[in-house]
Amino acid sequence: MVVFALAVLGLLIGSFLNVCIYRLPRHESLAFPASHCTSCNRPLSWYENVPIAGWLALRGRCRTCQAAISPMYPVVEAITGIVFVSGYLIYGLTPVLIPRLLFACAMLVLFAIDLRHHLLPNAITVPGILVGFAFSLFLPPGWRPSLLGIVIGGGVLFAIAEAYYRVRGVEGLGMGDVKMLAMIGAFLGWKLTLLTLVLASFAGSLVGVGLIASGRGGMKLALPFGTFLAVGAIVAAVAGEPIVAWYASFYQ
Ligand SMILES: [Zn+2]
């Protein structure tokens, strides 16, 4: 029963995340106008707004103008549903479930926007730092690790971005990445933030090398680092404690 309720809630929130993913980079209001076809502007009827089923019923095309509707919409809804159910299975109905679900939703939105537009909106990262720290006053990781996470996460990436810019003369990392890692620090604490950075760099290198090897990208191809940070942060949030403990065991 709880699983079913959380799955439905996840699908509905996934629908809202789609609105964020589409509108935030375009600086459009999240509330107005109501959902409409982005091609012919026709407002959607209620059944077209039903997560996943609406897209399936339309077979991915607008009823009036026949424009293709991105399969990203039902995919984001399905992932959000899975995130909500997994969150419940991992954390149970405990207070920490709330910041963790909020965090996962933010990472999903940042992942999608950075992948498509190569930007990480301040509208998510800046409030994210504050909200993450506020939750950490009462919940894990606690305010000290959270504050250190903000300073170390933001600071390390800022230093790397500065060094890269001085050496190469081009911007390799944006301030968006810096604020995003500070936000990750606020929610997860400094240890899991450093782990996120390691995981993201590793995944980024693997994908980068893969793209170069397959001839689909040169050495200068700019991969959106925020997408890798999002994936790294989710892995760190779910599996980070055992990984950090395993790593620390070598130094005891
Ligand atoms: Zn249309």
Side-chain angles (χ1 to χ4, degrees):
M1 193 59 209
V2 178
V3 168
F4 180 75
L6 277 168
V8 171
L9 182 65
L11 290 174
L12 292 173
I13 292 193
S15 199
F16 172 69
L17 298 186
N18 273 323
V19 175
C20 298
I21 291 167
Y22 186 84
R23 296 190 186 183
L24 279 180
R26 292 173 174 83
H27 300 287
E28 295 175 5
S29 157
L30 294 181
F32 300 102
S35 298
H36 53 273
C37 170
T38 54
S39 183
C40 70
N41 285 324
R42 175 181 60 82
L44 300 189
S45 48
W46 67 270
Y47 75 88
E48 291 172 298
N49 268 317
V50 177
I52 300 179
W55 188 89
L56 289 176
L58 295 167
R59 292 163 205 248
R61 291 202 172 274
C62 171
R63 207 150 43 80
T64 36
C65 74
Q66 299 298 314
I69 306 166
S70 168
M72 188 200 78
Y73 292 101
V75 167
V76 166
E77 285 158 357
I79 291 175
T80 314
I82 293 167
V83 161
F84 272 59
V85 171
S86 323
Y88 168 66
L89 296 177
I90 295 167
Y91 303 106
L93 282 183
T94 55
V96 80
L97 179 64
I98 296 167
R100 286 299 160 102
L101 288 182
L102 202 60
F103 180 68
C105 289
M107 290 301 116
L108 182 53
V109 171
L110 291 175
F111 174 92
I113 294 179
D114 202 28
L115 188 64
R116 187 174 278 190
H117 302 277
H118 283 221
L119 65 93
L120 298 161
N122 282 336
I124 297 177
T125 53
V126 174
I129 296 170
L130 300 175
V131 170
F133 182 70
F135 273 112
S136 301
L137 292 173
F138 311 100
L139 294 167
W143 75 269
R144 266 175 236 264
S146 171
L147 191 61
L148 281 171
I150 297 170
V151 174
I152 293 175
V156 167
L157 217 45
F158 183 76
I160 294 173
E162 270 295 303
Y164 189 91
Y165 182 73
R166 300 242 168 116
V167 173
R168 303 287 297 270
V170 286
E171 207 174 70
L173 285 166
M175 284 303 112
D177 298 297
V178 171
K179 282 173 263 183
M180 180 175 176
L181 198 61
M183 172 188 175
I184 293 168
F187 273 92
L188 301 184
W190 67 274
K191 284 183 190 167
L192 297 184
T193 301
L194 290 178
L195 178 64
T196 298
L197 188 56
V198 171
L199 291 172
S201 309
F202 186 64
S205 316
L206 277 185
V207 173
V209 168
L211 285 175
I212 290 164
S214 68
R216 272 187 285 173
M219 292 299 284
K220 282 206 162 172
L221 172 83
L223 288 167
F225 193 54
T227 58
F228 295 104
L229 283 178
V231 175
I234 296 300
V235 173
V238 173
E241 303 286 355
I243 298 175
V244 170
W246 172 77
Y247 184 75
S249 69
F250 290 105
Y251 295 92
Q252 279 165 5

